[in-house]
Amino acid sequence: MNKKYDVILVGAGPAGIFAAYELMLKAKDLKVLLVDKGPDIYNRKCPILEKKIKACPKNKAGNAGCSPACSMTSGFGGSGAYSDGKFNITSEFGGWMTDYLSDDEVIELIRYVDEINLKHGAPNEITDPFTKEVFEIEKKATAAGCKLLRSEVRHLGTEVNLQVLKNIFEAMKPHVDYAFATDVKDIVVEDNTVKGIILANDEVIETKYLQLGVGRSGATWLSKVLSKHNIEFKNNRVDVGVRVETNDIVMEEINRVLYEGKFLFNTSVGTTVRTFCQNPSGHVVIENHHGIMLCNGHSYSDSKLGSKNTNFALLVSNEFNEPFRDPNEYAEEISRLANKLSNGSVIVQKYGDIKKGRRSTAKRIAEGFVKPSLTEAVPGDLGLVLPYNIMKSLIEMIEALNQITPGIANDHTLFYGVEAKFYSDRPKVDNNFETTIHNLYTAGDGAGITRGLSQAGANGVKVARAIIEKEKRA
């Protein structure tokens, strides 16, 4: 790692990766550094997934998590590296880039990123969202009061997604400097122009351009750093809910026709619930968010690695007005409570027990017809964790989904909690995602601009192109 670069990209998730890739292709003379607090793609290993331990390790201070960072959420590939690699080609969901760019430009950027993935090993198969079968599902959804969001979906699977990332890593390695296990403490700003970054060891690395694409796990850090430099924010929401797990056979039609069903539902208490990250024959997993254990899910392209269950998230959107301005802290406190009640893990509860108002026990879980893919989850009562409006919203949504895919609301369906999606307060940026500090750009999920692989990657490409255009005019 040198002391001076033309471009530094903080965060090696999709925004950082595809910004670096675009600069490698179209600005070969620029010296580029990609920094991340997590490991490189070859050293992202979770001891829980490897069956070495059952819960995240704790340091001497009692904080849970691997060092230097959780491999599930940090490192090359970002938090999406261990996802099941669903690449949605749509501007209808997956972020708010259309607040800054036209629908056509967003789709062009997404397809451009998709072509890069294909070049590096992504499968050619893609879903068609406009078939007669999709129309029939949409008709049932409409009758149930749900809205189906259509999208072409390219499913990579966790193992293929990791291989694609390895191929991209190797392609960029001769042209882009990497700095992994490297924590960025602050940024350097002089005369309202970015000048560099400050590492945790107080080392300063100079740069002309800086992109902060730190992901959801870095959202709180981003807010603190940019607020210190007087950048204005738009207060954003946070999503809180559960990971649902049921038998594959219940979800067979949606799995086969859509692969991932994206549904929205407006509840009687004024909230909006969405389905997210559906994983046929998948596994529920734990991810570590700054010492807080959260639920997530993934699935493999290879059916031999799969389970007999489908999992997906049900997320309730929570928006806040004055005087409260910390939606991420709200979700973190709820999640910490679930961790306390499960002794550092997450809670699992049968839907039938939720309806009966009682906690699930190990015996009742074992007697159920849905076998938990996350065996580390502790049977308990989500009603002691989730606020009334959130729990009521989840129940109304699962009952609505039962009209679309009958059987999803049976007593044996499992709810794991808590699952939360954190977003930064969105910094004030222009149509090139440049902040009010010259040459400082934000991108991706952590900046509240995107919420998914495709738009995050597209966001990085757009920033890279903006930097290239600035250099041409210089």
Side-chain angles (χ1 to χ4, degrees):
M1 183 168 56
N2 296 315
K3 295 291 186 180
K4 188 174 183 178
Y5 288 88
D6 297 304
V7 184
I8 293 179
L9 308 165
V10 178
I17 289 170
F18 289 102
Y21 198 97
E22 185 75 349
L23 292 167
M24 175 188 73
L25 290 180
K26 299 177 180 176
K28 299 181 187 296
D29 293 336
L30 296 182
K31 290 174 62 178
V32 179
L33 173 67
L34 182 62
V35 184
D36 199 281
K37 65 182 179 181
D40 66 36
I41 190 64
Y42 297 104
N43 290 296
R44 291 191 66 171
K45 299 174 182 177
C46 175
I48 295 178
L49 289 183
E50 293 177 335
K51 306 297 183 184
K52 293 180 179 178
I53 55 177
K54 291 186 176 181
C56 288
K58 292 185 178 181
N59 60 20
K60 293 180 180 179
N63 298 318
C66 294
S67 180
C70 174
S71 279
M72 292 298 293
T73 58
S74 301
F76 191 89
S79 62
Y82 278 100
S83 73
D84 74 325
K86 286 186 291 290
F87 196 88
N88 297 299
I89 301 177
T90 180
S91 61
E92 193 171 0
F93 58 85
W96 296 271
M97 285 184 69
T98 52
D99 288 356
Y100 308 92
L101 309 173
S102 68
D103 284 4
D104 288 344
E105 184 173 4
V106 173
I107 291 295
E108 181 272 322
L109 288 165
I110 290 172
R111 290 196 182 280
Y112 181 81
V113 172
D114 185 45
E115 287 297 323
I116 294 172
N117 284 331
L118 285 169
K119 179 180 177 180
H120 291 284
N124 291 317
E125 295 78 18
I126 193 166
T127 64
D128 181 356
F130 298 102
T131 65
K132 184 178 179 181
E133 290 175 300
V134 173
F135 174 78
E136 291 300 320
I137 292 174
E138 185 176 30
K139 188 163 67 172
K140 288 189 285 187
T142 302
C146 293
K147 180 181 180 181
L148 172 65
L149 302 178
R150 295 172 181 259
S151 172
E152 294 176 82
V153 181
R154 191 181 307 283
H155 175 232
L156 281 68
T158 302
E159 79 281 27
V160 175
N161 188 43
L162 288 168
Q163 187 57 53
V164 170
L165 288 169
K166 289 176 182 177
N167 295 340
I168 293 174
F169 180 92
E170 292 298 331
M172 294 198 305
K173 193 174 181 180
H175 311 283
V176 176
D177 283 3
Y178 293 146
F180 293 102
T182 302
D183 204 0
V184 176
K185 182 169 68 173
D186 204 347
I187 62 175
V188 180
V189 177
E190 297 176 5
D191 298 325
N192 203 44
T193 301
V194 74
K195 295 295 183 180
I197 59 173
I198 304 173
L199 305 183
N201 63 2
D202 292 324
E203 181 181 359
V204 175
I205 311 296
E206 296 180 33
T207 188
K208 184 175 181 181
Y209 301 100
L210 176 62
Q211 173 185 284
L212 301 178
V214 295
R216 294 172 191 161
S217 65
T220 301
W221 175 88
L222 185 69
S223 294
K224 289 179 180 177
V225 168
L226 296 189
S227 294
K228 187 165 63 175
H229 294 282
N230 301 315
I231 289 181
E232 295 180 17
F233 287 87
K234 176 182 177 182
N235 204 2
N236 223 340
R237 72 187 192 190
V238 69
D239 298 341
V240 178
V242 295
R243 176 68 47 169
V244 178
E245 187 170 43
T246 189
N247 302 115
D248 276 341
I249 194 169
V250 172
M251 300 290 292
E252 186 276 333
E253 182 182 24
I254 291 176
N255 289 347
R256 173 173 48 82
V257 176
L258 295 172
Y259 186 82
E260 178 174 26
K262 293 272 192 181
F263 298 98
L264 295 179
F265 180 73
N266 294 328
T267 72
S268 65
V269 292
T271 57
T272 298
V273 190
R274 65 184 175 100
T275 60
F276 176 78
C277 188
Q278 183 175 317
N279 298 293
S281 303
H283 298 268
V284 178
V285 297
I286 292 176
E287 66 177 22
N288 186 328
H289 172 81
H290 302 306
I292 302 170
M293 304 303 120
L294 300 171
C295 303
N296 209 327
H298 65 222
S299 64
Y300 295 96
S301 179
D302 186 351
S303 59
K304 295 178 182 177
L305 300 174
S307 71
K308 295 181 180 179
N309 298 340
T310 294
N311 69 74
F312 59 91
L314 285 185
L315 297 171
V316 183
S317 297
N318 297 269
E319 296 185 6
F320 298 91
N321 298 314
E322 297 287 353
F324 185 70
R325 298 192 59 178
D326 198 346
N328 285 344
E329 181 63 23
Y330 171 78
E332 288 172 353
E333 286 299 322
I334 292 173
S335 304
R336 285 192 190 98
L337 180 56
N339 294 167
K340 286 181 180 179
L341 292 176
S342 58
N343 195 29
S345 186
V346 296
I347 293 172
V348 61
Q349 187 174 15
K350 291 175 65 176
Y351 183 58
D353 288 334
I354 290 174
K355 289 190 293 184
K356 292 180 176 71
R358 66 184 186 185
R359 70 181 294 268
S360 287
T361 62
K363 180 175 183 292
R364 281 198 279 267
I365 294 290
E367 291 172 348
F369 298 155
V370 179
K371 301 303 177 186
S373 61
L374 180 63
T375 56
E376 296 84 5
V378 176
D381 187 355
L382 289 167
L384 297 177
V385 176
L386 296 172
Y388 173 82
N389 276 4
I390 291 180
M391 184 63 84
K392 183 171 176 59
S393 299
L394 296 172
I395 291 171
E396 289 185 12
M397 177 58 154
I398 203 76
E399 294 294 339
L401 289 175
N402 201 54
Q403 299 177 55
I404 305 168
T405 178
I408 188 64
N410 75 64
D411 285 357
H412 303 277
T413 293
L414 301 176
F415 280 23
Y416 296 83
V418 171
E419 179 149 347
K421 300 304 175 192
F422 300 95
Y423 305 99
S424 170
D425 291 344
R426 198 189 309 181
K428 183 178 180 180
V429 295
D430 63 16
N431 290 349
N432 288 318
F433 305 99
E434 185 177 6
T435 69
T436 51
I437 294 175
H438 300 313
N439 297 342
L440 174 62
Y441 299 81
T442 61
D445 288 20
I449 296 167
T450 69
R451 66 173 186 207
L453 298 176
S454 56
Q455 282 206 32
N459 199 173
V461 172
K462 178 64 179 179
V463 169
R465 290 178 180 178
I467 291 172
I468 293 167
E469 285 302 311
K470 260 198 175 187
E471 279 294 287
K472 287 179 180 178
R473 296 193 302 267

